[in-house]
Amino acid sequence: MSEKVTLTIDGREIRAAAGGKLLWAALDNGIYIPNLCAVRERVRPAASCRLCFVEVEGSAAPVTACTQPVKDGLVVRTRSERVDRLVRSAFELLLSDHRLQCRECPANRSCGLQKIARERGLKLRLTRLKPLPKEAAIDESAAAFSFDRSRCVLCGRCIWVDREVAKVGAIGFTRRGLERTVTTFEDETLAESICNECGLCVHACPVGALYFKQPE
Amino acid sequence: MTAAAIEAQYAGLQKQAVAKTAVQKSKPLVRVGTATCGVAAGAIPVKEAFEKEIGSRGLDARVVEAGCMGHCYAEPLVVIDKPGFAPLCYGSVDGDLARRLVADFLAGDDPCYEFALAALEPNDVFPTFSEFPRGVCEEKIILERCGFIDPEAIDDYIARDGYAALAKALALPPEEVLAEIKAANLRGRGGAGFPAGVKWEAARGAGDGVKYVICNADEGDPGAFMDRSILESDPHQVIEGMIICAYCVGAAEGWLYIRAEYPRAVERIHTAIRQAREKGLLGQSILGSGFAFDLRVFQGSGAFVCGEETALVSSMEGKMGMPQTRPPFMAQSGFRGRPTVLNNVKTFSYVPHIVSRGADWFKGTGTPGTPGTAVFSLVGKVSHTGLVEVPMGTTLRRLIFDVGEGIPGGKKFKAAQIGGPSGGCLPEAALDVPIDFDSLRQAGAIMGSGGLVVLDEDDCMVAVARFFLEFTRHESCGKCTFCRLGTKHMLDILTEITGGRGNPASLEVLRELAEDVQAGSLCNLGRTAPNPILTTLRYFRDEYDAHIFEGRCPALMCKELIAYYILPKKCSKLCDACVGSCPVEAIFTRADGLKEIDQQKCVKCDNCRKACPPEHDAVVKLSPPSLLSGKEGVPK
Ligand SMILES: Cc1cc2nc3c(=O)[nH]c(=O)nc-3n(C[C@H](O)[C@H](O)[C@H](O)COP(=O)(O)O)c2cc1C
Ligand code: SF4
Ligand code: SF4
């Protein structure tokens, strides 16, 4: 049995395994914190989506729950003016280069972005920012699934399962800045690559970027 | 090995070095500053001119290369050290002056004072740099030897007590050396100002296994060049600091991460490492102490974000240079997952001085919070650009007006952009703040790596913010949401404003985004990227408003918000300098002989304004362009 610690989230006392991260302690206890890039098994979190901000007593500024270790006596609030503002901005930034056509999207109703919008009362459209459309051809080369970069939120979950679970290593991140994208070695199509089409990445994708051609 | 034996071994090295340099001193010596700044100004042909002229006259004089003395405005710089004279420094030397100096000074006995900039040693005849207004403000610790020693000759360094601090340190227990660094409160000069001693102590306490010491010489800020200058001018100082650090923390291997765009620095460091090994100052049992340490060089890929420590280590490990979350901190798990100390070039450079002269001496300079000196590269609208070293706590006013000798062309000071793309723009009102890490942060800027760009009335602050955002947008690694997308949206809004398409709502979005990108980004690139925006909004809000509400650029800099106009009263009618200068033939001669600009054709290149002879000075910029209507000759 691993050691347990007791912490307080939104006034609720919670016990969690020592050494774990706050995000998982909260989610396991039914307390929602927005997230897209988090992977429980990942030792060093990517911490790249910047959605899981919370207030931790004693910290001057909001911290990301995916990187915050749980500790005895930790007092956490999942909502505050500052947290809500950061989440709203990060969310709208992600929407600004996401092809927002939910009705045509295979992930409609199971989408991670829709979930955040629902939980936090955020709009699924741009209110302050201009759209930054991503021009990218859809990779339809694989038999069972397709990849539409214009919907990708760069969470990296597909890459993680490809490497750590499927142990194939067909895909990875490439390029910098706005050009950052998920791709295969030398930008081959999925069919040309070493991808064995196990489909794990499709299940990992929180949005409709990787999707099965035939609805499951 | 006893302390005495280590000291004795060093004393032997120094005796040799002094003897060698003494022989050289008996002959005239010409030092040509060939750091990158000197080379860019033409130092190599100057050096060749000296060599050729000395050769053809059959004189017995040596010509050597030296580093940067910091007086970059006067490059190429040459120092002539002739027995019987104080060493003299000459500025803006070209081939002709080189030949003349050989003929008159080396062959004859006329030092050509009319071309001399300063003497390097006090004498009765000619002033020294320290008598310059600038010299009075400066206090050189880590730049002291730069430009005055041959960076490719280790004996030059040793003869001036180089590696004496190492000998002293090796003779003491490591805890004692570390305690001195801690007591000195040496704060990291790579930007954040974190105490080096605290970092070292953590690494020292992280077990007995393999550890690394890394020197961060990535220096990616546009306009910053102090780390390069130090590596090119006094490489052994950095190496000595690194060895002492390694001794304190118990590391056997060190790396210098140098950006690949710095080939001269890489070359000189390689030479220095080789020479240090030959003297037993690197390698097994340094100075016979039993302590082993060696250094290697890693050439960085050139991305700005690779200067961030976790990204730097990733790139050294052959991965993409992308920042990672901390903890774990470097001192626990850095390069190859081992405890690692990573410091900036300047931070390591202070170390030998602190070990030699003690923590109390170090704390005698600077502010209580930040002891020591600050190194700035002073550039932009300032008369004397260059590399300066002043005590922490010096005011910006002193730096700009005394050290830099003010704004050229009688223009008015507007702002000091300090800390590079992560820094901020400070107005006139902030000029009297004594600068150190903490006071600058309060003002909204950062010390950063020490880039100081002076801006005058002709610089538009919105355009300046846009310039830096363009840089950070381009350099964002793209890993995290705020920085990848936030910098892009902020840049787009700034582009709208400078293009005359801004609106009050987007200005509000800009401010909100800037604050959120600052609070929400993963690494300090993103967290500091909004500083140029936040400081210009704070101190120069009126310029944003002028762009948005009046369509006017107060500095007459934003092309879309200005129009060129030829003043009929001033145009001479008799010349047509402007006509020929226009690349698009927008200027024509009217029936009455006056010149006029076809606004439809004008591309606002500024050529005509430069071409118009100063005695007429007839071409002006107007902003907003609507000022044109009603002007004589312009159709309504
Ligand atoms: C985007 C970015 C770029 C950086 N570039 C440099 C650099 O070029 N040189 C440097 O010494 N530190 C740079 N730093 C700071 C380093 O991460 C690190 O704090 C520093 O090298 C530590 O050394 P110090 O304690 O001696 O300052 C950079 C940080 C960031 C976020
Ligand atoms: S394809 Fe899906 S899982 Fe992969 S990075 Fe993009 S959003 Fe994440
Ligand atoms: S702040 Fe910018 S540079 Fe740093 S991790 Fe995020 S995207 Fe990369």
Side-chain angles (χ1 to χ4, degrees):
Chain A
M1 260 310 279
S2 69
E3 215 186 304
K4 292 270 182 181
V5 296
T6 307
L7 62 154
T8 315
I9 307 180
D10 292 341
R12 250 179 75 193
E13 206 158 270
I14 276 165
R15 285 175 63 70
K21 298 292 195 302
L22 174 60
L23 176 66
W24 304 106
L27 294 177
D28 289 347
N29 285 281
I31 300 173
Y32 182 72
I33 296 173
N35 68 88
L36 286 172
C37 69
V39 175
R40 187 189 292 262
E41 296 76 16
R42 213 174 150 146
V43 187
R44 198 164 188 169
S48 61
C49 72
R50 316 308 289 168
L51 285 163
C52 65
F53 281 104
V54 295
E55 297 276 358
V56 167
E57 212 160 85
S59 286
V63 300
T64 43
C66 69
T67 57
Q68 172 68 48
V70 293
K71 276 186 264 187
D72 248 330
L74 200 69
V75 179
V76 180
R77 279 187 304 145
T78 62
R79 305 290 295 267
S80 75
E81 212 172 293
R82 296 191 300 182
V83 163
D84 288 359
R85 177 169 161 181
L86 281 174
V87 173
R88 170 171 167 249
S89 284
F91 187 72
E92 188 167 356
L93 284 168
L94 283 173
L95 290 190
S96 73
D97 80 338
H98 177 83
R99 184 148 68 92
L100 262 176
Q101 284 163 344
C102 294
R103 275 200 308 184
E104 289 160 32
C105 179
N108 194 8
R109 287 162 199 282
S110 62
C111 166
L113 291 168
Q114 288 178 338
K115 181 173 168 96
I116 296 168
R118 196 165 56 238
E119 294 274 357
R120 287 289 160 104
L122 296 168
K123 295 202 173 68
L124 269 168
R125 59 179 185 79
L126 300 177
T127 57
R128 297 174 292 168
L129 306 178
K130 299 214 164 80
L132 300 170
K134 270 190 273 202
E135 312 282 341
I138 302 176
D139 181 350
E140 298 187 298
S141 65
F145 55 86
S146 302
F147 179 37
D148 181 352
R149 287 191 172 78
S150 68
R151 296 201 188 100
C152 172
V153 293
L154 299 176
C155 71
R157 280 159 61 153
C158 52
I159 298 171
W160 196 85
V161 292
D162 165 57
R163 294 200 181 159
E164 306 297 328
V165 185
K167 305 232 182 268
V168 176
I171 51 176
F173 280 123
T174 183
R175 304 200 183 89
R176 312 181 69 85
L178 284 172
E179 268 85 59
R180 181 167 162 94
T181 185
V182 175
T183 188
T184 57
F185 182 65
E186 295 195 325
D187 291 331
E188 293 163 318
T189 61
L190 284 164
E192 291 165 326
S193 78
I194 59 169
C195 166
N196 63 14
E197 303 191 17
C198 70
L200 282 177
C201 61
V202 184
H203 292 288
C205 182
V207 295
L210 280 161
Y211 55 94
F212 290 110
K213 293 183 172 171
Q214 300 296 320
E216 288 200 302
Chain B
M1 190 94 181
T2 65
I6 295 171
E7 302 275 7
Q9 186 153 348
Y10 175 73
L13 282 183
Q14 197 179 34
K15 205 167 141 201
Q16 272 176 16
V18 170
K20 192 162 165 200
T21 47
V23 172
Q24 291 166 353
K25 268 196 185 141
S26 61
K27 293 192 228 177
L29 176 67
V30 179
R31 292 186 198 281
V32 184
T34 56
T36 300
C37 47
V39 171
I44 299 295
V46 167
K47 184 184 169 220
E48 287 162 2
F50 271 107
E51 284 165 344
K52 205 165 148 217
E53 193 67 20
I54 288 170
S56 68
R57 288 173 180 268
L59 298 173
D60 189 14
R62 278 197 327 139
V63 181
V64 298
E65 298 189 19
C68 169
M69 282 187 270
H71 293 263
C72 304
Y73 60 91
E75 292 283 0
L77 283 166
V78 169
V79 173
I80 299 185
D81 197 350
K82 183 174 172 176
F85 294 87
L88 284 165
C89 176
Y90 302 84
S92 310
V93 180
D94 58 10
D96 286 340
L97 182 54
R99 282 181 284 276
R100 168 131 182 222
L101 286 167
V102 174
D104 293 359
F105 189 16
L106 295 181
D109 261 335
D110 171 12
C112 305
Y113 286 121
E114 65 273 33
F115 297 107
L117 203 59
L120 302 185
E121 282 167 15
N123 63 89
D124 303 332
V125 196
F126 208 73
T128 61
F129 276 125
S130 55
E131 292 163 53
F132 276 40
R134 149 171 186 173
V136 177
C137 312
E138 279 200 285
E139 185 170 329
K140 293 197 174 189
I141 300 176
I142 59 174
L143 296 186
E144 203 202 337
R145 278 182 293 243
C146 291
F148 303 110
I149 57 169
D150 179 351
E152 296 181 0
I154 190 170
D155 283 324
D156 254 27
Y157 182 73
I158 297 178
R160 290 179 172 232
D161 293 330
Y163 290 108
L166 176 64
K168 181 175 173 188
L170 292 176
L172 295 168
E175 313 76 71
E176 226 167 280
V177 184
L178 177 53
E180 201 66 23
I181 300 295
K182 258 190 97 177
N185 190 16
L186 169 61
R187 296 178 67 175
R189 298 306 204 255
F194 191 82
V198 175
K199 248 191 224 181
W200 295 16
E201 193 167 53
R204 178 175 171 77
D208 292 328
V210 175
K211 294 175 191 170
Y212 297 100
V213 170
I214 301 176
C215 176
N216 188 344
D218 192 47
E219 197 169 50
D221 289 28
F225 53 88
M226 35 271 166
D227 294 356
R228 182 190 72 202
S229 276
I230 292 173
L231 292 176
E232 289 178 346
S233 310
D234 195 359
H236 288 287
Q237 180 176 244
V238 183
I239 294 176
E240 188 177 1
M242 291 184 74
I243 308 173
I244 295 173
C245 170
Y247 179 66
C248 289
V249 304
E253 188 178 322
W255 290 79
L256 287 122
Y257 186 102
I258 308 178
R259 60 193 287 114
E261 288 89 334
Y262 284 181
R264 276 189 104 68
V266 170
E267 201 184 293
R268 285 187 172 164
I269 277 288
H270 274 304
T271 306
I273 291 175
R274 202 181 56 244
Q275 294 178 345
R277 282 189 195 132
E278 284 162 11
K279 299 262 182 198
L281 294 160
L282 278 176
Q284 295 303 318
S285 190
I286 293 173
L287 287 172
S289 65
F291 172 66
F293 178 70
D294 211 344
L295 276 175
R296 299 165 74 175
V297 174
F298 186 94
Q299 295 198 35
S301 63
F304 176 59
V305 77
C306 288
E308 196 277 338
E309 55 188 40
T310 57
L312 182 147
V313 163
S314 289
S315 101
M316 282 179 65
E317 290 168 346
K319 296 184 246 172
M320 264 181 115
M322 297 232 170
Q324 306 244 329
T325 56
R326 286 171 298 187
F329 291 98
M330 289 279 145
Q332 273 91 45
S333 168
F335 183 45
R336 297 175 180 153
R338 303 299 314 168
T340 301
V341 170
L342 187 132
N343 278 119
N344 173 260
V345 172
K346 291 174 285 289
T347 316
F348 282 123
S349 296
Y350 286 104
V351 170
H353 302 278
I354 294 171
V355 171
S356 285
R357 295 189 255 185
D360 288 331
W361 161 81
F362 188 67
K363 286 195 283 191
T365 305
T367 60
T370 313
T373 53
V375 176
F376 286 101
S377 59
L378 193 56
V379 295
K381 307 283 181 58
V382 56
S383 300
H384 282 184
T385 56
L387 207 58
V388 303
E389 183 171 2
V390 294
M392 286 281 178
T394 303
T395 62
L396 281 171
R397 190 180 300 282
R398 256 191 109 107
L399 255 179
I400 296 166
F401 290 94
D402 296 337
V403 179
E405 301 199 4
I407 319 293
K411 296 278 183 177
K412 206 168 157 303
F413 169 87
K414 185 185 275 183
Q417 207 289 339
I418 189 161
S422 336
C425 297
L426 303 181
E428 169 88 36
L431 283 184
D432 295 308
V433 179
I435 39 184
D436 66 11
F437 286 106
D438 311 311
S439 65
L440 282 178
R441 197 164 299 164
Q442 254 168 31
I446 61 161
M447 183 82 89
S449 49
L452 177 54
V453 188
V454 180
L455 304 171
D456 73 5
E457 55 190 285
D458 294 336
D459 292 302
C460 166
M461 299 314 289
V462 188
V464 167
R466 189 185 169 282
F467 170 83
F468 284 109
L469 249 290
E470 191 150 40
F471 179 84
T472 35
R473 209 281 299 149
H474 184 259
E475 295 297 331
S476 165
C477 81
K479 180 172 176 178
C480 77
T481 304
F482 279 107
C483 174
R484 178 182 70 247
L485 291 159
T487 52
K488 167 70 176 158
H489 284 286
M490 293 191 291
L491 175 62
D492 285 353
I493 295 174
L494 288 168
T495 306
E496 277 177 7
I497 298 175
T498 54
R501 300 180 303 278
N503 61 63
S506 66
L507 189 61
E508 191 48 28
V509 175
L510 177 67
R511 194 186 50 75
E512 280 174 23
L513 272 181
E515 288 170 4
D516 291 346
V517 171
Q518 183 178 54
S521 292
L522 174 61
C523 87
N524 275 335
L525 189 152
R527 285 176 179 268
T528 56
N531 283 345
I533 297 177
L534 290 168
T535 48
T536 46
L537 275 174
R538 173 161 156 197
Y539 299 118
F540 301 96
R541 173 67 191 248
D542 54 329
E543 294 200 22
Y544 283 87
D545 289 342
H547 284 75
I548 292 174
F549 296 105
E550 301 167 43
R552 177 172 69 88
C553 174
L556 304 174
M557 190 177 169
C558 294
K559 277 194 182 167
E560 272 115 317
L561 297 180
I562 58 170
Y564 282 81
Y565 180 65
I566 300 175
L567 296 166
K569 279 211 183 82
K570 286 190 160 187
C571 173
S572 90
K573 290 191 187 182
L574 299 173
C575 91
D576 39 35
C578 56
V579 176
S581 77
C582 179
V584 292
E585 298 180 6
I587 306 180
F588 58 95
T589 308
R590 303 186 337 193
D592 58 6
L594 290 167
K595 304 290 182 262
E596 192 179 319
I597 300 173
D598 179 342
Q599 298 294 334
Q600 302 303 314
K601 286 190 186 167
C602 172
V603 291
K604 303 176 189 175
C605 68
D606 207 44
N607 280 5
C608 54
R609 201 175 63 91
K610 291 197 198 97
C612 184
E615 62 271 27
H616 302 311
D617 192 21
V619 184
V620 293
K621 295 191 266 187
L622 301 175
S623 182
S626 59
L627 288 178
L628 277 176
S629 67
K631 288 262 192 264
E632 187 197 336
V634 178
K636 291 258 162 72

